[in-house]
Amino acid sequence: MINVFFAAAPARWPIYEDALRKAFAEAGLTVDLSLDHAPDQVDYIIYAPNSGVTDFTPFTRAKAVLNLWAGVENVVHDETLNIPLARMVETGLTDGMVEWVTAHVLRHHIGIDTNLRRQDGVWRQEVPPLAKDRRVTILGLGELGAACAKMLVQLKFDVRGWSRSAKSIEGVHCFSGDELDQALTGTDILVLLLPLTPATEDILNADRIALLAKGAVVLNPGRGALIDDDALLAALDSGHLKHATLDVFRTEPLPADHPYWSHPKVTVTPHVASETRAETSSQTIAENIRRAEAGLPLLHIVDRDRAY
Amino acid sequence: MINVFFAAAPARWPIYEDALRKAFAEAGLTVDLSLDHAPDQVDYIIYAPNSGVTDFTPFTRAKAVLNLWAGVENVVHDETLNIPLARMVETGLTDGMVEWVTAHVLRHHIGIDTNLRRQDGVWRQEVPPLAKDRRVTILGLGELGAACAKMLVQLKFDVRGWSRSAKSIEGVHCFSGDELDQALTGTDILVLLLPLTPATEDILNADRIALLAKGAVVLNPGRGALIDDDALLAALDSGHLKHATLDVFRTEPLPADHPYWSHPKVTVTPHVASETRAETSSQTIAENIRRAEAGLPLLHIVDRDRAY
């Protein structure tokens, strides 16, 4: 019997319980899944930051922490965590992100907002440029960023990407390391899909915004703290940036009096770009427990030094 | 010397002249391209319906009419036209259509309009379903419809298609002929990309709208007369349909007092979904003239009986 502790907000339990049980059964695992195992009896911890668990010391025999979300910035620096930590990688999360990013890139590309404002009886026949003439740059070429880049290549956008370590994606002009400024220069639509680490906080600052093409659009479905908010607002007000569509924020829910809500050039989406889906994420979790029980290395393991 | 007559609106001439000359040169053709050849000296006619040409009788030695647009409904029934007629198929037109259709399918899929209305400081975290759980049906699986269907398959939508004659597209559930009602049943997002013929006029009538899923969305980047306008408005008003995004109309420009402009559930886009692009369409025209001069059959030739 493998004891698995579901350490997430209790509201998630009814969404995940059946999906997890089904995935464990399909993986041939005999699991006691519970919200309230005694800590020293727990073998694996399914973890989300709003679970209330802040000290892993009592989980003396636990073999791994399996993060329910893609981002691990709330747990990776926990000094009481001395067992392997796995990020969530699952098709539902990836597919949802590809849909959100592709939707908003195309929205800004063909000018849907302008169309919606112009329902006034005046026939203004302005055909947008083709995707091949629109430069889209994605910062972060992990699971999510790479999947979005590939879809934008299918749509024939001029796609660039940047990541800490060098990557290669067919059809994408990939930059890495100290080539960030080159990746940003002349970008029409910028997509932020980096993990939040000390090295990426405020990565989109005033100097880097200035490198984007005049009239550029910023999409942030990654993490709120990747952006220097004051610099972004200044660039929108100056007209250098045309629009920002933001899904994530330093404080969530975004406070009702935050200037992003009322800014005419900002679209707030309430952290809905993508979320872990119960069915597919349960399969990832079951597979990782199966691997650990078989003595195989975990998938999607977090490098604690890189912090993602 | 091959005499080519540019029979389109004079405003198009500065857009197309250089692109056509370049394409002819690249195809190794020696062409006299003009807006005002004597009719009996013309070898090929590049044609658009707003050219003023309504009688092809004086073009006694012309070998083909090369339509500048994808739709041929304005010329295909001309009884003075007794030489081959080619539709326009070119990558710029196709790419633009794929971008418009994908953009609006995703816009409605993830609920961008709702997001734009909700910039009110209230954090409403409603994650949309995944594309795999959204049924999109495309009527018309010609060059444009097939290209759109393939892109929507890449995005993992549940894609259906219908065409007059049977087609096969990987990942698409293809219906044909008398299976139209099956193709429409339960559809969440309907895309109209049929040619306008006597058989397709008013094809989206009240009975067929009733087959769509409650809350369905209609996109029409095809031809205005494919839709029974009164039936569409009634279905929007009754709530059976959630929205219609319309790019084409029976009368264009759409009159300023037409109810579509002011209807809260209708988005009018002013026939901008896609247009023939000078560079790529000139290559298609040059290739067809090269083929005709070499005694090869024309590409994209119109079947006058089918009317497309």
Side-chain angles (χ1 to χ4, degrees):
Chain A
M1 180 68 73
I2 305 162
N3 291 334
V4 176
F5 173 38
F6 187 78
R12 295 277 161 186
W13 178 250
I15 301 169
Y16 278 87
E17 185 185 0
D18 286 352
L20 282 166
R21 292 195 193 288
K22 179 162 176 271
F24 292 145
E26 287 174 357
L29 298 169
T30 305
V31 169
D32 182 1
L33 174 69
S34 173
L35 283 167
D36 54 7
H37 283 300
D40 64 358
Q41 297 301 306
V42 169
D43 295 303
Y44 297 94
I45 303 169
I46 299 173
Y47 177 83
N50 45 3
S51 62
V53 172
T54 55
D55 180 4
F56 291 93
T57 313
F59 298 92
T60 48
R61 83 176 203 202
K63 298 175 196 162
V65 173
L66 308 170
N67 209 57
L68 206 49
W69 314 138
V72 293
E73 70 274 15
N74 289 293
V75 65
V76 71
H77 302 298
D78 190 320
E79 293 187 357
T80 70
L81 178 60
N82 297 309
I83 53 177
L85 168 67
R87 283 177 296 116
M88 179 52 68
V89 173
E90 58 101 2
T91 56
L93 185 71
T94 306
D95 291 347
M97 186 60 82
V98 169
E99 295 170 20
W100 189 95
V101 167
T102 308
H104 285 282
V105 166
L106 284 168
R107 164 195 166 204
H108 292 294
H109 168 58
I110 74 166
I112 286 179
D113 295 26
T114 304
N115 279 145
L116 294 178
R117 272 196 302 272
R118 288 181 172 177
Q119 300 298 302
D120 57 1
V122 181
W123 188 261
R124 302 173 186 85
Q125 207 165 10
E126 296 162 14
V127 176
L130 291 172
K132 72 183 175 60
D133 297 317
R134 194 79 76 175
R135 182 174 294 173
V136 183
T137 300
I138 300 179
L139 301 193
L141 295 173
E143 187 72 19
L144 300 177
C148 293
K150 287 173 191 166
M151 184 56 64
L152 295 171
V153 167
Q154 293 288 318
L155 281 158
K156 304 190 185 177
F157 281 100
D158 174 10
V159 184
R160 299 184 161 207
W162 177 85
S163 50
R164 197 188 68 101
S165 54
K167 299 279 169 70
S168 174
I169 301 171
E170 193 176 339
V172 178
H173 192 151
C174 291
F175 296 85
S176 63
D178 61 5
E179 300 171 324
L180 176 57
D181 288 1
Q182 290 166 253
L184 293 171
T185 299
T187 293
D188 297 309
I189 302 176
L190 177 67
V191 184
L192 302 181
L193 275 169
L194 289 162
L196 181 60
T197 71
T200 64
E201 186 165 355
D202 284 328
I203 194 166
L204 191 65
N205 58 24
D207 289 346
R208 295 200 176 105
I209 290 172
L211 297 173
L212 305 177
K214 181 162 167 54
V217 168
V218 172
L219 307 182
N220 187 10
R223 284 291 181 256
L226 298 173
I227 295 180
D228 175 337
D229 293 321
D230 291 337
L232 183 70
L233 286 164
L236 290 163
D237 289 337
S238 77
H240 181 62
L241 293 183
K242 185 177 174 187
H243 202 90
T245 292
L246 309 174
D247 189 59
V248 287
F249 307 91
R250 280 169 199 270
T251 304
E252 295 184 12
L254 184 67
D257 61 354
H258 194 285
Y260 282 152
W261 279 115
S262 55
H263 200 290
K265 294 179 179 174
V266 174
T267 305
V268 171
T269 68
H271 205 145
V272 294
S274 189
E275 69 169 13
T276 303
R277 309 278 170 160
E279 184 182 346
T280 39
S281 63
S282 294
Q283 291 162 357
T284 294
I285 287 168
E287 169 64 8
N288 250 346
I289 293 176
R290 187 195 68 76
R291 291 175 67 92
E293 292 295 306
L296 298 168
L298 291 182
L299 299 173
H300 321 305
I301 203 154
V302 172
D303 178 330
R304 305 290 291 277
D305 291 329
R306 293 192 316 182
Y308 64 92
Chain B
M1 182 66 73
I2 304 163
N3 291 334
V4 176
F5 172 39
F6 188 77
R12 295 278 162 184
W13 177 250
I15 301 169
Y16 277 87
E17 184 185 0
D18 287 352
L20 283 166
R21 292 195 194 288
K22 180 161 176 273
F24 292 145
E26 286 174 358
L29 298 169
T30 306
V31 169
D32 182 2
L33 174 69
S34 172
L35 283 167
D36 54 8
H37 283 300
D40 64 358
Q41 297 301 306
V42 168
D43 295 304
Y44 297 93
I45 303 169
I46 299 172
Y47 177 83
N50 45 3
S51 62
V53 173
T54 56
D55 180 3
F56 292 93
T57 313
F59 298 92
T60 47
R61 83 176 203 201
K63 297 174 197 162
V65 173
L66 307 170
N67 209 57
L68 205 50
W69 314 138
V72 294
E73 70 273 15
N74 289 294
V75 64
V76 70
H77 302 297
D78 189 322
E79 293 186 356
T80 70
L81 177 60
N82 297 309
I83 53 177
L85 168 67
R87 282 177 297 117
M88 178 52 68
V89 173
E90 58 101 3
T91 56
L93 184 71
T94 306
D95 291 346
M97 186 61 81
V98 169
E99 294 170 21
W100 189 95
V101 167
T102 307
H104 285 282
V105 166
L106 283 168
R107 164 195 166 203
H108 292 294
H109 168 58
I110 74 166
I112 287 180
D113 294 27
T114 303
N115 279 145
L116 294 178
R117 272 194 303 272
R118 287 181 173 176
Q119 299 299 303
D120 57 2
V122 181
W123 189 261
R124 302 174 186 84
Q125 208 166 10
E126 296 162 14
V127 176
L130 291 172
K132 71 183 177 57
D133 298 316
R134 193 80 75 175
R135 183 174 294 173
V136 183
T137 300
I138 300 178
L139 301 193
L141 296 173
E143 186 73 19
L144 300 177
C148 292
K150 287 173 192 168
M151 184 55 65
L152 296 171
V153 167
Q154 293 288 319
L155 281 159
K156 305 190 184 177
F157 282 99
D158 174 10
V159 184
R160 300 185 161 207
W162 177 85
S163 50
R164 197 188 67 103
S165 55
K167 299 279 169 69
S168 173
I169 301 171
E170 194 175 338
V172 179
H173 191 151
C174 291
F175 296 85
S176 63
D178 62 4
E179 301 171 324
L180 176 57
D181 287 1
Q182 289 166 253
L184 293 171
T185 300
T187 293
D188 297 309
I189 301 176
L190 177 67
V191 183
L192 303 181
L193 276 170
L194 289 162
L196 182 60
T197 71
T200 65
E201 186 165 356
D202 284 328
I203 194 167
L204 191 66
N205 58 24
D207 289 346
R208 296 199 176 107
I209 290 172
L211 297 173
L212 305 178
K214 181 162 168 54
V217 168
V218 172
L219 308 181
N220 187 10
R223 285 291 180 255
L226 297 172
I227 295 180
D228 176 336
D229 295 320
D230 291 337
L232 182 70
L233 286 165
L236 289 164
D237 289 337
S238 78
H240 180 64
L241 293 183
K242 185 177 174 189
H243 202 89
T245 292
L246 309 174
D247 188 60
V248 288
F249 307 91
R250 280 168 200 270
T251 303
E252 293 183 13
L254 184 67
D257 61 353
H258 194 286
Y260 281 152
W261 279 115
S262 55
H263 200 290
K265 295 179 179 174
V266 174
T267 304
V268 172
T269 67
H271 205 145
V272 294
S274 188
E275 69 169 13
T276 303
R277 308 278 169 159
E279 184 182 347
T280 38
S281 63
S282 294
Q283 291 163 358
T284 294
I285 288 168
E287 170 63 8
N288 251 347
I289 293 176
R290 188 195 67 77
R291 292 175 67 92
E293 292 296 306
L296 297 167
L298 290 181
L299 300 172
H300 321 304
I301 203 154
V302 172
D303 177 330
R304 305 291 290 276
D305 290 330
R306 293 192 316 182
Y308 65 91

